[in-house]
Coordinates of all heavy atoms in Angstrom, one line a residue:
M8 N -23.6 -10.0 8.6 CA -22.4 -10.0 7.8 C -21.4 -10.9 8.5 O -21.1 -10.8 9.7 CB -21.8 -8.5 7.8 CG -20.8 -8.3 6.7 SD -19.0 -8.4 7.1 CE -18.7 -7.4 8.4
K9 N -20.8 -11.8 7.7 CA -19.8 -12.7 8.2 C -18.5 -12.5 7.4 O -18.4 -12.9 6.2 CB -20.3 -14.1 8.1 CG -19.3 -15.2 8.6 CD -19.9 -16.5 8.5 CE -18.9 -17.6 9.1 NZ -19.4 -18.9 8.9
P10 N -17.4 -12.0 8.0 CA -16.2 -11.8 7.3 C -15.6 -13.2 7.0 O -15.6 -14.1 7.8 CB -15.3 -11.0 8.2 CG -15.9 -11.1 9.5 CD -17.3 -11.5 9.4
E11 N -15.0 -13.3 5.8 CA -14.3 -14.6 5.4 C -12.8 -14.4 5.2 O -12.0 -15.2 5.6 CB -14.9 -15.1 4.1 CG -16.3 -15.6 4.3 CD -16.9 -16.2 3.1 OE1 -16.4 -16.0 2.0 OE2 -17.9 -16.9 3.2
K12 N -12.4 -13.3 4.6 CA -11.0 -13.0 4.3 C -10.8 -11.5 4.3 O -11.6 -10.7 3.8 CB -10.7 -13.6 2.9 CG -9.2 -13.4 2.5 CD -8.9 -14.1 1.2 CE -9.7 -13.6 0.0 NZ -9.3 -14.1 -1.3
L13 N -9.6 -11.1 4.8 CA -9.2 -9.8 4.8 C -7.8 -9.7 4.4 O -6.9 -10.4 4.9 CB -9.3 -9.2 6.2 CG -8.9 -7.7 6.4 CD1 -9.8 -6.8 5.7 CD2 -8.9 -7.4 7.9
I14 N -7.5 -8.9 3.3 CA -6.1 -8.7 2.8 C -5.7 -7.3 3.0 O -6.5 -6.4 2.6 CB -6.0 -9.1 1.4 CG1 -6.4 -10.6 1.2 CG2 -4.6 -8.9 0.9 CD1 -6.4 -11.1 -0.2
L15 N -4.6 -7.1 3.7 CA -4.1 -5.7 4.0 C -2.8 -5.5 3.3 O -2.0 -6.5 3.2 CB -3.8 -5.5 5.5 CG -4.9 -5.9 6.4 CD1 -4.4 -5.9 7.8 CD2 -6.1 -4.9 6.3
S16 N -2.6 -4.4 2.7 CA -1.3 -4.0 2.1 C -0.9 -2.6 2.5 O -1.7 -1.7 2.2 CB -1.3 -4.1 0.6 OG -0.1 -3.7 0.0
A17 N 0.2 -2.4 3.2 CA 0.7 -1.1 3.7 C -0.4 -0.4 4.4 O -0.6 0.8 4.3 CB 1.2 -0.3 2.5
F18 N -1.1 -1.1 5.3 CA -2.2 -0.6 6.1 C -1.9 -0.7 7.5 O -1.6 -1.8 8.1 CB -3.5 -1.3 5.7 CG -4.7 -0.7 6.2 CD1 -5.4 0.2 5.4 CD2 -5.2 -1.0 7.5 CE1 -6.6 0.8 5.9 CE2 -6.4 -0.4 7.9 CZ -7.1 0.5 7.1
G19 N -1.9 0.5 8.3 CA -1.7 0.5 9.7 C -0.4 -0.1 10.1 O 0.7 0.3 9.5
S20 N -0.3 -1.0 11.0 CA 0.9 -1.6 11.4 C 1.4 -2.7 10.5 O 2.5 -3.3 10.7 CB 0.8 -2.1 12.8 OG -0.3 -3.1 12.9
Y21 N 0.7 -3.0 9.4 CA 1.0 -4.1 8.5 C 1.8 -3.5 7.3 O 1.1 -2.9 6.4 CB -0.2 -4.9 8.1 CG -0.9 -5.6 9.2 CD1 -1.9 -4.9 10.0 CD2 -0.5 -6.8 9.6 CE1 -2.5 -5.6 11.0 CE2 -1.1 -7.5 10.7 CZ -2.1 -6.8 11.4 OH -2.7 -7.4 12.5
A22 N 3.1 -3.6 7.2 CA 3.9 -3.0 6.1 C 3.7 -3.7 4.8 O 3.6 -3.0 3.8 CB 5.3 -3.0 6.5
G23 N 3.7 -5.0 4.8 CA 3.6 -5.8 3.6 C 2.1 -6.2 3.4 O 1.2 -5.7 3.9
R24 N 2.0 -7.2 2.5 CA 0.7 -7.8 2.2 C 0.4 -8.9 3.3 O 1.2 -9.9 3.4 CB 0.8 -8.4 0.8 CG -0.5 -8.9 0.3 CD -0.4 -9.2 -1.2 NE -1.6 -9.9 -1.7 CZ -2.7 -9.3 -2.1 NH1 -2.8 -8.0 -2.0 NH2 -3.7 -10.0 -2.6
T25 N -0.7 -8.8 3.9 CA -1.1 -9.7 5.0 C -2.5 -10.2 4.7 O -3.4 -9.5 4.5 CB -1.0 -9.1 6.4 OG1 0.3 -8.5 6.6 CG2 -1.4 -10.0 7.5
K26 N -2.7 -11.6 4.8 CA -4.0 -12.2 4.6 C -4.5 -12.8 5.9 O -3.7 -13.5 6.6 CB -3.9 -13.2 3.5 CG -5.2 -13.9 3.3 CD -5.1 -15.0 2.2 CE -6.4 -15.8 2.1 NZ -6.2 -16.9 1.1
I27 N -5.7 -12.5 6.3 CA -6.3 -13.0 7.5 C -7.5 -13.9 7.0 O -8.4 -13.3 6.4 CB -6.8 -12.0 8.5 CG1 -5.6 -11.1 8.9 CG2 -7.5 -12.6 9.7 CD1 -6.0 -9.9 9.7
D28 N -7.5 -15.2 7.3 CA -8.5 -16.1 6.9 C -9.4 -16.3 8.1 O -9.1 -17.0 9.0 CB -7.9 -17.4 6.4 CG -9.0 -18.4 5.9 OD1 -10.2 -18.0 5.9 OD2 -8.6 -19.5 5.4
F29 N -10.6 -15.7 8.1 CA -11.6 -15.8 9.2 C -12.3 -17.2 9.2 O -12.9 -17.5 10.1 CB -12.6 -14.7 9.1 CG -12.0 -13.3 9.4 CD1 -11.8 -12.4 8.4 CD2 -11.7 -13.0 10.7 CE1 -11.3 -11.2 8.6 CE2 -11.1 -11.7 11.0 CZ -10.9 -10.8 9.9
T30 N -12.1 -17.9 8.1 CA -12.8 -19.2 8.0 C -11.9 -20.3 8.7 O -12.4 -21.4 8.8 CB -13.1 -19.6 6.6 OG1 -11.9 -19.8 5.8 CG2 -14.0 -18.6 5.9
A31 N -10.7 -20.0 9.0 CA -9.7 -21.0 9.5 C -9.9 -21.0 11.1 O -9.0 -20.7 11.8 CB -8.3 -20.6 9.2
Q32 N -11.1 -21.4 11.5 CA -11.3 -21.5 12.9 C -12.3 -22.6 13.2 O -12.8 -23.2 12.3 CB -11.9 -20.1 13.4 CG -13.0 -19.5 12.6 CD -14.4 -20.2 12.7 OE1 -14.7 -20.8 13.7 NE2 -15.2 -20.1 11.7
T33 N -12.5 -22.9 14.4 CA -13.4 -24.0 14.8 C -14.4 -23.4 15.9 O -14.1 -22.5 16.6 CB -12.7 -25.2 15.4 OG1 -12.0 -24.8 16.5 CG2 -11.8 -25.8 14.4
G34 N -15.6 -24.0 15.9 CA -16.5 -23.6 16.9 C -17.3 -22.3 16.6 O -18.0 -21.8 17.5
G35 N -17.1 -21.7 15.5 CA -17.8 -20.6 15.1 C -17.3 -19.2 15.6 O -17.9 -18.2 15.4
L36 N -16.2 -19.3 16.3 CA -15.6 -18.0 16.9 C -14.2 -17.8 16.3 O -13.5 -18.7 16.0 CB -15.5 -18.1 18.4 CG -16.7 -18.2 19.2 CD1 -16.4 -18.4 20.7 CD2 -17.6 -17.0 19.0
F37 N -13.9 -16.5 16.1 CA -12.5 -16.1 15.7 C -12.0 -15.1 16.7 O -12.6 -14.0 16.8 CB -12.6 -15.5 14.3 CG -11.2 -15.3 13.7 CD1 -10.6 -16.3 12.9 CD2 -10.5 -14.2 13.9 CE1 -9.4 -16.2 12.4 CE2 -9.2 -14.0 13.3 CZ -8.7 -15.0 12.6
L38 N -11.0 -15.4 17.4 CA -10.4 -14.5 18.4 C -9.3 -13.7 17.9 O -8.4 -14.2 17.3 CB -9.9 -15.4 19.6 CG -9.3 -14.6 20.8 CD1 -10.4 -13.7 21.4 CD2 -8.7 -15.6 21.8
I39 N -9.5 -12.3 18.1 CA -8.4 -11.4 17.7 C -7.7 -11.0 19.0 O -8.3 -10.3 19.8 CB -9.0 -10.2 16.9 CG1 -9.6 -10.7 15.6 CG2 -7.9 -9.2 16.7 CD1 -10.3 -9.6 14.9
T40 N -6.5 -11.5 19.2 CA -5.8 -11.2 20.4 C -4.3 -10.9 20.2 O -3.8 -11.2 19.1 CB -5.9 -12.5 21.4 OG1 -5.3 -12.2 22.6 CG2 -5.3 -13.7 20.7
G41 N -3.7 -10.3 21.1 CA -2.2 -10.0 21.0 C -1.8 -8.9 21.9 O -2.7 -8.3 22.6
D42 N -0.5 -8.7 22.0 CA 0.0 -7.6 22.9 C -0.4 -6.2 22.4 O -0.8 -6.1 21.2 CB 1.6 -7.7 22.9 CG 2.1 -9.0 23.5 OD1 1.3 -9.5 24.4 OD2 3.2 -9.4 23.1
T43 N -0.2 -5.2 23.3 CA -0.5 -3.9 22.9 C 0.4 -3.5 21.7 O 1.6 -3.8 21.7 CB -0.1 -2.9 24.1 OG1 -1.0 -3.3 25.2 CG2 -0.3 -1.5 23.7
G44 N -0.2 -2.9 20.7 CA 0.6 -2.5 19.5 C 0.7 -3.7 18.4 O 1.4 -3.5 17.5
A45 N 0.1 -4.8 18.7 CA 0.2 -5.9 17.7 C -0.6 -5.7 16.5 O -0.4 -6.5 15.5 CB -0.2 -7.2 18.4
G46 N -1.5 -4.8 16.4 CA -2.3 -4.6 15.2 C -3.8 -5.0 15.3 O -4.4 -5.1 14.2
K47 N -4.3 -5.2 16.5 CA -5.7 -5.7 16.6 C -6.7 -4.6 16.1 O -7.6 -4.9 15.3 CB -6.0 -6.0 18.1 CG -5.1 -7.2 18.6 CD -5.4 -7.4 20.1 CE -5.1 -6.3 21.0 NZ -3.7 -5.9 21.1
T48 N -6.5 -3.4 16.5 CA -7.4 -2.3 16.1 C -7.3 -2.1 14.6 O -8.2 -1.7 14.0 CB -7.0 -1.0 16.9 OG1 -7.2 -1.2 18.3 CG2 -7.9 0.2 16.4
T49 N -6.1 -2.3 14.1 CA -5.9 -2.2 12.6 C -6.8 -3.1 11.8 O -7.3 -2.8 10.8 CB -4.4 -2.4 12.2 OG1 -3.6 -1.5 13.0 CG2 -4.2 -2.2 10.8
I50 N -7.0 -4.3 12.4 CA -7.9 -5.2 11.7 C -9.3 -4.7 11.6 O -10.0 -4.7 10.6 CB -7.9 -6.6 12.4 CG1 -6.5 -7.2 12.3 CG2 -9.0 -7.5 11.9 CD1 -6.3 -8.4 13.1
F51 N -9.8 -4.1 12.7 CA -11.1 -3.5 12.8 C -11.2 -2.3 11.9 O -12.2 -2.0 11.2 CB -11.6 -3.2 14.2 CG -11.7 -4.4 15.0 CD1 -10.9 -4.7 16.0 CD2 -12.8 -5.3 14.8 CE1 -11.0 -5.9 16.8 CE2 -13.0 -6.5 15.5 CZ -12.1 -6.8 16.5
D52 N -10.1 -1.5 11.9 CA -10.0 -0.3 11.0 C -10.1 -0.7 9.5 O -10.8 -0.1 8.7 CB -8.7 0.5 11.2 CG -8.7 1.4 12.4 OD1 -9.8 1.7 12.9 OD2 -7.6 1.8 12.9
A53 N -9.4 -1.8 9.2 CA -9.4 -2.3 7.8 C -10.8 -2.8 7.4 O -11.3 -2.4 6.3 CB -8.4 -3.4 7.6
I54 N -11.5 -3.5 8.2 CA -12.9 -3.9 7.9 C -13.8 -2.7 7.7 O -14.5 -2.6 6.8 CB -13.4 -4.9 9.0 CG1 -12.6 -6.2 8.9 CG2 -14.9 -5.1 8.8 CD1 -12.9 -7.1 10.1
T55 N -13.7 -1.8 8.7 CA -14.5 -0.6 8.6 C -14.2 0.3 7.4 O -15.0 0.8 6.7 CB -14.4 0.2 9.9 OG1 -14.7 -0.6 11.0 CG2 -15.3 1.4 9.9
F56 N -12.9 0.4 7.1 CA -12.4 1.1 5.9 C -13.0 0.5 4.6 O -13.4 1.2 3.7 CB -10.9 1.3 5.9 CG -10.4 2.1 4.8 CD1 -10.5 3.5 4.8 CD2 -9.9 1.6 3.6 CE1 -10.1 4.3 3.8 CE2 -9.4 2.3 2.6 CZ -9.5 3.7 2.7
A57 N -12.9 -0.8 4.5 CA -13.4 -1.5 3.3 C -14.9 -1.2 3.1 O -15.3 -1.0 2.0 CB -13.1 -3.0 3.4
L58 N -15.6 -1.3 4.2 CA -17.1 -1.1 4.1 C -17.5 0.3 4.0 O -18.5 0.6 3.2 CB -17.8 -1.8 5.3 CG -17.6 -3.3 5.4 CD1 -18.2 -3.8 6.8 CD2 -18.3 -4.0 4.3
F59 N -16.9 1.2 4.7 CA -17.4 2.6 4.8 C -16.4 3.7 4.4 O -16.8 4.9 4.4 CB -17.8 2.9 6.3 CG -18.8 1.9 6.8 CD1 -18.5 0.9 7.7 CD2 -20.1 1.8 6.3 CE1 -19.4 0.0 8.2 CE2 -21.0 0.9 6.8 CZ -20.7 0.0 7.7
G60 N -15.2 3.3 4.1 CA -14.2 4.3 3.7 C -13.6 5.2 4.8 O -13.1 6.3 4.6
Q61 N -13.7 4.7 6.1 CA -13.2 5.4 7.2 C -12.7 4.4 8.3 O -13.1 3.3 8.2 CB -14.2 6.4 7.8 CG -15.5 5.7 8.3 CD -16.5 6.8 8.6 OE1 -16.6 7.8 8.1 NE2 -17.4 6.4 9.6
A62 N -11.9 4.9 9.2 CA -11.4 4.1 10.3 C -12.6 3.8 11.3 O -13.6 4.4 11.3 CB -10.3 4.8 11.1
S63 N -12.3 2.8 12.2 CA -13.3 2.4 13.2 C -13.5 3.4 14.3 O -14.5 3.4 15.0 CB -13.0 1.0 13.7 OG -11.8 1.1 14.4
G64 N -12.6 4.3 14.5 CA -12.7 5.3 15.5 C -12.6 6.7 15.0 O -12.1 6.9 13.9
D65 N -13.1 7.7 15.7 CA -13.1 9.1 15.2 C -11.7 9.7 15.2 O -11.5 10.8 14.6 CB -14.0 9.9 16.1 CG -15.5 9.5 15.8 OD1 -15.8 9.0 14.8 OD2 -16.3 9.8 16.8
S66 N -10.7 9.1 16.0 CA -9.4 9.8 16.1 C -8.5 9.5 14.9 O -7.4 10.1 14.9 CB -8.8 9.3 17.4 OG -8.5 7.9 17.4
R67 N -8.9 8.6 14.0 CA -8.0 8.3 12.9 C -8.7 8.7 11.6 O -9.8 8.2 11.3 CB -7.6 6.8 12.9 CG -6.8 6.4 14.1 CD -6.5 5.0 14.2 NE -7.7 4.1 14.3 CZ -8.5 4.0 15.3 NH1 -8.2 4.7 16.4 NH2 -9.5 3.2 15.3
T68 N -8.0 9.4 10.7 CA -8.5 9.8 9.4 C -8.0 8.8 8.4 O -7.0 8.1 8.6 CB -8.0 11.2 9.0 OG1 -6.6 11.2 8.8 CG2 -8.4 12.3 10.0
P69 N -8.7 8.7 7.2 CA -8.2 7.7 6.2 C -6.8 7.9 5.8 O -6.0 7.0 5.6 CB -9.2 8.0 5.0 CG -10.4 8.4 5.7 CD -9.9 9.3 6.9
E70 N -6.3 9.2 5.8 CA -4.9 9.5 5.5 C -3.9 8.9 6.5 O -2.8 8.6 6.1 CB -4.7 11.0 5.4 CG -5.4 11.6 4.3 CD -6.9 11.9 4.6 OE1 -7.3 12.0 5.8 OE2 -7.7 11.9 3.6
M71 N -4.3 8.7 7.7 CA -3.5 8.1 8.8 C -3.3 6.6 8.7 O -2.5 6.0 9.4 CB -4.0 8.5 10.1 CG -4.0 10.0 10.4 SD -5.0 10.4 11.9 CE -3.9 9.7 13.2
L72 N -4.1 6.0 7.8 CA -4.1 4.5 7.8 C -3.0 3.9 7.0 O -2.7 2.7 7.1 CB -5.5 4.0 7.3 CG -6.7 4.5 8.1 CD1 -8.0 4.0 7.5 CD2 -6.6 3.9 9.5
R73 N -2.3 4.7 6.2 CA -1.1 4.1 5.5 C 0.0 3.7 6.5 O 0.3 4.5 7.4 CB -0.6 5.1 4.5 CG 0.7 4.6 3.8 CD 1.0 5.1 2.5 NE 2.3 4.6 2.1 CZ 2.6 3.5 1.4 NH1 1.6 2.7 1.1 NH2 3.8 3.2 1.1
S74 N 0.6 2.6 6.3 CA 1.6 2.1 7.2 C 2.9 3.0 7.0 O 3.4 3.2 5.9 CB 2.0 0.7 6.8 OG 3.1 0.2 7.6
K75 N 3.4 3.4 8.1 CA 4.7 4.1 8.1 C 5.9 3.2 7.9 O 7.0 3.7 7.7 CB 4.8 5.0 9.4 CG 4.9 4.2 10.7 CD 5.0 5.1 11.9 CE 5.0 4.3 13.2 NZ 5.0 5.2 14.3
Y76 N 5.6 1.9 8.0 CA 6.7 0.9 7.8 C 6.8 0.4 6.4 O 7.7 -0.3 6.1 CB 6.4 -0.3 8.8 CG 6.2 0.1 10.2 CD1 4.9 0.0 10.8 CD2 7.2 0.6 11.0 CE1 4.7 0.4 12.1 CE2 7.0 1.0 12.3 CZ 5.7 0.9 12.8 OH 5.5 1.3 14.1
A77 N 5.8 0.7 5.6 CA 5.8 0.2 4.2 C 6.8 0.9 3.3 O 7.0 2.1 3.4 CB 4.4 0.3 3.6
A78 N 7.3 0.2 2.3 CA 8.1 0.8 1.3 C 7.2 1.7 0.4 O 6.0 1.5 0.3 CB 8.7 -0.3 0.4
S79 N 7.9 2.8 -0.1 CA 7.1 3.8 -0.8 C 6.4 3.2 -2.0 O 5.3 3.8 -2.4 CB 8.0 5.0 -1.2 OG 9.1 4.5 -2.1
E80 N 6.9 2.2 -2.6 CA 6.3 1.6 -3.8 C 5.2 0.6 -3.5 O 4.4 0.2 -4.4 CB 7.3 0.9 -4.7 CG 8.0 -0.3 -4.1 CD 9.2 0.0 -3.3 OE1 9.5 1.2 -3.1 OE2 9.9 -0.9 -2.8
T81 N 5.0 0.3 -2.2 CA 3.9 -0.6 -1.8 C 2.6 0.1 -1.8 O 2.5 1.1 -1.0 CB 4.2 -1.3 -0.5 OG1 5.5 -1.9 -0.5 CG2 3.2 -2.3 -0.1
P82 N 1.6 -0.3 -2.5 CA 0.3 0.3 -2.5 C -0.5 0.1 -1.2 O -0.4 -1.0 -0.6 CB -0.4 -0.2 -3.7 CG 0.2 -1.6 -3.9 CD 1.6 -1.5 -3.5
T83 N -1.2 1.0 -0.8 CA -2.1 0.9 0.4 C -3.4 0.3 -0.1 O -4.1 1.0 -0.9 CB -2.3 2.2 1.1 OG1 -1.0 2.7 1.5 CG2 -3.1 2.0 2.4
E84 N -3.8 -0.9 0.3 CA -5.0 -1.5 -0.2 C -5.6 -2.4 0.9 O -4.9 -2.9 1.8 CB -4.7 -2.5 -1.3 CG -4.1 -1.8 -2.6 CD -3.8 -2.8 -3.6 OE1 -3.5 -3.9 -3.3 OE2 -3.7 -2.3 -4.8
V85 N -6.9 -2.5 0.9 CA -7.7 -3.4 1.7 C -8.7 -4.1 0.9 O -9.3 -3.5 0.1 CB -8.4 -2.6 2.8 CG1 -9.3 -3.5 3.7 CG2 -7.5 -1.8 3.7
E86 N -8.7 -5.4 1.1 CA -9.7 -6.2 0.4 C -10.5 -7.1 1.5 O -9.8 -7.7 2.3 CB -9.1 -7.2 -0.6 CG -10.1 -8.1 -1.3 CD -9.4 -8.9 -2.4 OE1 -8.5 -8.5 -3.0 OE2 -9.9 -10.1 -2.5
L87 N -11.8 -7.0 1.4 CA -12.6 -7.7 2.4 C -13.6 -8.6 1.6 O -14.3 -8.1 0.7 CB -13.4 -6.8 3.3 CG -14.4 -7.4 4.2 CD1 -13.7 -8.3 5.3 CD2 -15.2 -6.4 4.9
V88 N -13.6 -9.9 1.9 CA -14.5 -10.8 1.4 C -15.4 -11.2 2.5 O -15.0 -11.7 3.6 CB -13.8 -12.1 0.8 CG1 -14.9 -13.1 0.2 CG2 -12.9 -11.7 -0.3
F89 N -16.8 -11.1 2.3 CA -17.7 -11.4 3.4 C -19.0 -12.0 2.8 O -19.3 -11.9 1.6 CB -18.0 -10.2 4.2 CG -18.7 -9.1 3.5 CD1 -20.1 -9.0 3.6 CD2 -18.0 -8.2 2.8 CE1 -20.7 -7.9 2.9 CE2 -18.6 -7.1 2.2 CZ -20.0 -7.0 2.2
Q90 N -19.7 -12.6 3.7 CA -21.0 -13.2 3.3 C -22.1 -12.4 4.0 O -22.0 -12.0 5.1 CB -21.2 -14.6 3.7 CG -20.3 -15.5 2.9 CD -21.1 -16.8 2.4 OE1 -22.3 -16.9 2.6 NE2 -20.4 -17.7 1.8
Y91 N -23.2 -12.1 3.2 CA -24.4 -11.5 3.8 C -25.6 -12.0 3.1 O -25.6 -12.1 1.8 CB -24.3 -9.9 3.6 CG -25.5 -9.2 4.1 CD1 -25.7 -9.1 5.4 CD2 -26.4 -8.7 3.2 CE1 -26.8 -8.4 5.9 CE2 -27.6 -8.1 3.7 CZ -27.8 -7.9 5.0 OH -28.9 -7.3 5.5
A92 N -26.6 -12.4 3.8 CA -27.8 -13.0 3.3 C -27.6 -14.1 2.3 O -28.2 -14.1 1.2 CB -28.7 -11.9 2.7
G93 N -26.6 -14.9 2.5 CA -26.3 -16.1 1.7 C -25.6 -15.8 0.4 O -25.3 -16.6 -0.4
K94 N -25.1 -14.5 0.2 CA -24.3 -14.1 -0.9 C -22.9 -13.7 -0.5 O -22.8 -13.1 0.6 CB -25.0 -13.0 -1.7 CG -26.3 -13.4 -2.3 CD -26.9 -12.2 -3.1 CE -28.2 -12.6 -3.7 NZ -28.8 -11.5 -4.4
Q95 N -22.0 -13.9 -1.4 CA -20.6 -13.5 -1.1 C -20.3 -12.2 -1.8 O -20.6 -12.0 -3.0 CB -19.6 -14.6 -1.5 CG -18.2 -14.3 -1.1 CD -17.2 -15.3 -1.6 OE1 -17.0 -15.5 -2.8 NE2 -16.6 -16.1 -0.6
Y96 N -19.6 -11.3 -1.1 CA -19.3 -10.0 -1.6 C -17.8 -9.8 -1.4 O -17.2 -10.2 -0.4 CB -20.0 -8.9 -0.9 CG -21.5 -8.9 -1.1 CD1 -22.3 -9.7 -0.2 CD2 -22.1 -8.3 -2.1 CE1 -23.7 -9.7 -0.3 CE2 -23.5 -8.3 -2.3 CZ -24.3 -9.1 -1.4 OH -25.7 -9.1 -1.6
T97 N -17.2 -9.0 -2.3 CA -15.8 -8.6 -2.2 C -15.7 -7.1 -2.4 O -16.3 -6.5 -3.3 CB -14.9 -9.2 -3.3 OG1 -15.0 -10.6 -3.2 CG2 -13.5 -8.8 -3.2
V98 N -15.1 -6.4 -1.4 CA -14.9 -5.0 -1.4 C -13.4 -4.7 -1.4 O -12.7 -5.3 -0.6 CB -15.5 -4.3 -0.2 CG1 -15.3 -2.8 -0.2 CG2 -17.0 -4.6 -0.1
R99 N -13.0 -3.9 -2.4 CA -11.5 -3.5 -2.5 C -11.4 -2.0 -2.5 O -12.0 -1.3 -3.3 CB -11.0 -4.1 -3.8 CG -9.6 -4.4 -3.8 CD -9.2 -5.2 -5.1 NE -9.6 -6.6 -5.0 CZ -10.4 -7.2 -5.9 NH1 -10.9 -6.6 -6.9 NH2 -10.7 -8.5 -5.7
R100 N -10.5 -1.5 -1.6 CA -10.2 0.0 -1.6 C -8.8 0.2 -1.6 O -8.0 -0.5 -1.0 CB -10.8 0.6 -0.3 CG -12.3 0.8 -0.4 CD -12.7 1.7 0.8 NE -14.1 1.6 1.0 CZ -15.0 2.5 0.5 NH1 -14.6 3.5 -0.2 NH2 -16.3 2.3 0.8

C-alpha cells in the first residue's frame, strides 16, 4: 500500500481542512517530522482510521479523534487516497 493523499478535517490536532500530498517528495521517501505535539501521530491515526475505523494506538478511541480546536460546524472527516497492486483507492470516513 502506497499512500498518495491524506485530507483531514477537524481531526486530532488539525482544526481545519489539511491536505498532505505524499507524492510531493523525491527519492521515494516521505519524512514525517516535527516538534512534540506537532501532529505526527495524528497523521498515522488518520491513515489507520481511514483503513480500519480506529486509531493507531490502543489508548485512543475513535471518539477522541475529533479536534478540540475545530469549530462546532466543521465536520470530522478523513480521506485517504492510496495505491495497492497497481490500482488507486479512495477511503472516506
Side-chain angles (χ1 to χ4, degrees):
M8 195 266 304
K9 181 179 179 183
E11 293 183 342
K12 178 174 66 171
L13 180 65
I14 299 174
L15 311 168
S16 175
F18 192 90
S20 56
Y21 298 91
R24 187 169 171 84
T25 303
K26 178 182 174 183
I27 300 171
D28 183 1
F29 292 105
T30 64
Q32 45 77 24
T33 59
L36 295 175
F37 190 91
L38 180 64
I39 297 173
T40 184
D42 293 334
T43 300
K47 299 177 299 294
T48 301
T49 302
I50 294 169
F51 295 110
D52 280 343
I54 292 171
T55 305
F56 184 75
L58 295 172
F59 305 108
Q61 60 189 30
S63 62
D65 292 335
S66 63
R67 293 174 304 285
T68 65
E70 296 78 26
M71 296 169 68
L72 298 176
R73 172 155 174 89
S74 175
K75 63 182 177 183
Y76 309 108
S79 60
E80 65 273 4
T81 304
T83 303
E84 298 174 336
V85 175
E86 179 179 323
L87 175 65
V88 178
F89 65 95
Q90 288 226 6
Y91 177 74
K94 294 183 181 179
Q95 187 180 66
Y96 297 90
T97 300
V98 179
R99 207 172 284 122
R100 286 191 195 264

